Amino acid sequence: MSEKIDLGTFVLSEDDEFMSASQRAYFRAKLNAWKNDILREARETLGHLAEESANHPDLADRASSETDRAIELRARDRQRKLISKIDAALQRLDEGTYGYCEETGEPIGLKRLDARPIATLSIEAQERHERREKVYRDE
């Protein structure tokens, strides 16, 4: 669909058929914008890390710089994993399975998808999953 979606003004409507063409276009635009923001931030981080790699003569400055670098790299690794989830969501959009719970096949819900566009489980299925996870973790 070539419809251009303005993320700032588009309003999701529960009255529309679930995963209508305009809803799919909205979520595609939202996922792509999110991915582009992450990639832009990653490029900025790489530039910052390259500039910051200067050797600090003071041990405290060097330790602080290395700590900052480690934190930044961990954040980038989380972002890398997030990009793969965004790509998977875009793939589901292409396949026509986006917005449906992987466990039950029921619609996930527009509010949940708007808040968490990479969601693969309905709220109920996610809660069951988290309860099972807690039980196994507590054992």
Side-chain angles (χ1 to χ4, degrees):
M1 174 178 200
S2 62
E3 182 181 339
K4 188 73 175 161
I5 297 290
D6 180 357
L7 293 174
T9 60
F10 185 83
V11 178
L12 285 170
S13 173
E14 299 279 345
D15 296 335
D16 291 347
E17 177 185 345
F18 186 71
M19 282 300 117
S20 66
S22 62
Q23 290 172 354
R24 289 191 310 273
Y26 169 78
F27 285 113
R28 183 176 306 282
K30 186 169 186 149
L31 288 162
N32 280 318
W34 193 10
K35 182 178 176 178
N36 290 335
D37 286 347
I38 293 169
L39 292 172
R40 181 186 41 75
E41 289 172 9
R43 283 189 297 273
E44 289 172 4
T45 297
L46 287 175
H48 176 70
L49 290 176
E51 292 171 9
E52 189 60 34
S53 64
N55 198 2
H56 298 287
D58 182 56
L59 286 177
D61 286 346
R62 188 178 316 152
S64 176
S65 177
E66 288 177 10
T67 299
D68 291 347
R69 183 184 187 105
I71 290 169
E72 198 64 48
L73 290 173
R74 272 198 309 271
R76 289 298 135 234
D77 188 51
R78 281 193 302 274
Q79 301 291 28
R80 180 187 54 80
K81 292 174 183 171
L82 183 55
I83 285 176
S84 68
K85 290 181 179 184
I86 292 170
D87 286 340
L90 289 167
Q91 180 70 35
R92 289 192 306 277
L93 267 167
D94 291 341
E95 295 168 352
T97 59
Y98 181 81
Y100 294 92
C101 179
E102 288 182 346
E103 207 171 272
T104 65
E106 296 292 318
I108 289 175
L110 293 177
K111 288 181 183 174
R112 175 161 168 73
L113 287 171
D114 200 25
R116 184 87 174 142
I118 58 173
T120 59
L121 299 173
S122 65
I123 290 175
E124 297 79 13
Q126 183 68 39
E127 287 172 348
R128 280 193 304 274
H129 175 75
E130 288 172 1
R131 279 195 299 275
R132 282 193 305 264
E133 199 174 73
K134 183 181 180 335
V135 166
Y136 290 125
R137 191 174 48 234
D138 290 345
E139 288 179 351

